[in-house]
Amino acid sequence: MGKSPNIFVFKTPEQVALAAAGKFEAYAREAIADHGVFSVALAGGNTPRRVYELLAAELFRDRIGWAGVHLFFGDERAVPPDNHDSNYRMVHAALISQIGIPLSNVHRIIGEGDAHENAAAYERDLKEFFGEISWPRFDLILLGMGEDGHTASLFPGGDAVREELRWVAATRMEHLKQDRITITIPVINQAAHVMFLVTGKAKAKRLSEVIHQNSAAAPLPAQLVQPTHGTFEWLLDKEAASLL
Ligand code: 6PG
């Protein structure tokens, strides 16, 4: 069992995003001072978009040493980078296109083409950056949570949830007829800082189940996130936290 989580509840999603951007800056400063780089795996979906916009805004942009920041992705939809569903597209619009980060510091998961081949390619990219070690140690992994308790592209009952050897897996979302590429649970649990961002009333019930670890059946993917030695934080708005 990893460290117990620190739970922060804010009045509004905007305050959640502001707090997350502040932590991103602090963790970036800490990592760059300690080992010269800051490796972060970004979450997709809607919730973190505002965080990325804030990081690109005047308040934060010039306070972060982007030359030392390496942007990775926690997961990607198997679509081209200009597709509406692409996490890369969302992050490029909100952040990458707004800051002077060296393109070699942006590690896109290739979405177009075969998901299994792209998962293997992304794993090679990670191994080139972190080295041929047992598990990569990201300085920060940002995560969201779906209403079904999924995180990254690790879905309840999905084959990638129980992956114990690979750093990156391809998985199929049958109900959406969409392939995904995702980092795996052991990679998430090795990070120095793991931060969930969850807002909105629609997630309140599932969040209570995940936080209180009382899911009836098999553990939900979000419950399998138990950082072994890193910090573990949930940044919530009061609507999402209303049933805790
Ligand atoms: C993705 C994310 C996914 C997301 C949750 C929550 O690629 O969509 O990795 O895990 O974090 O689905 O999404 P929202 O923030 O849009 O609610």
Side-chain angles (χ1 to χ4, degrees):
M1 183 70 178
K3 287 186 174 178
S4 56
N6 290 315
I7 299 171
F8 302 90
V9 181
F10 300 89
K11 277 191 182 155
T12 65
E14 180 71 10
Q15 288 175 351
V16 170
L18 206 51
K23 286 176 177 288
F24 183 109
E25 184 209 347
Y27 294 148
R29 192 182 302 279
E30 165 197 275
I32 291 169
D34 179 63
H35 47 274
V37 291
F38 174 59
S39 56
V40 52
L42 300 175
N46 298 310
T47 306
R49 179 187 291 115
R50 185 61 183 141
V51 181
Y52 307 146
E53 290 170 349
L54 287 169
L55 289 170
E58 202 172 327
L59 186 59
F60 289 99
R61 183 183 55 233
D62 300 333
R63 291 160 54 170
I64 295 170
W66 295 106
V69 176
H70 280 260
L71 298 177
F72 294 86
F73 291 78
D75 69 323
E76 185 57 277
R77 293 83 181 274
V79 294
D82 58 356
N83 184 291
H84 180 267
D85 279 349
S86 166
N87 287 333
Y88 174 81
R89 178 181 181 270
M90 180 271 285
V91 175
H92 185 269
L95 178 62
I96 296 168
S97 60
Q98 308 297 316
I99 55 175
I101 189 168
L103 283 185
S104 56
N105 287 27
V106 178
H107 304 262
R108 178 174 80 92
I109 300 175
I110 300 169
E112 59 276 28
D114 179 85
H116 291 277
E117 287 172 10
N118 292 336
Y122 190 53
E123 182 161 316
R124 287 195 297 274
D125 185 10
L126 293 181
K127 290 190 174 179
E128 193 176 322
F129 181 83
F130 289 103
E132 285 286 348
I133 49 179
S134 51
W135 296 105
R137 189 156 189 248
F138 281 96
D139 292 307
L140 172 61
I141 295 183
L142 286 175
L143 295 170
M145 188 196 76
E147 292 178 36
D148 61 355
H150 82 261
T151 191
S153 282
L154 300 162
F155 291 86
D159 46 2
V161 177
R162 287 289 179 195
E163 176 59 52
E164 294 182 346
L165 298 176
R166 286 177 294 173
W167 295 12
V168 182
T171 188
R172 176 81 179 163
M173 285 179 67
E174 209 45 64
H175 63 295
L176 288 181
K177 298 281 179 260
Q178 187 182 69
D179 288 328
R180 296 278 190 104
I181 294 116
T182 184
I183 56 175
T184 55
I185 290 289
V187 169
I188 295 172
N189 287 338
Q190 284 301 316
H193 301 286
V194 176
M195 191 191 308
F196 270 103
L197 307 177
V198 184
T199 61
K201 199 154 198 66
K203 299 191 181 169
K205 187 172 181 307
R206 187 68 74 183
L207 182 68
S208 171
E209 194 181 326
V210 167
I211 297 272
H212 297 306
Q213 297 282 344
N214 55 8
S215 62
L220 294 165
Q223 288 175 313
L224 296 174
V225 174
Q226 297 171 12
T228 49
H229 44 253
T231 67
F232 185 17
E233 299 172 302
W234 290 83
L235 274 62
L236 314 171
D237 72 347
K238 65 180 187 335
E239 288 202 344
S242 58
L243 299 178
L244 289 186

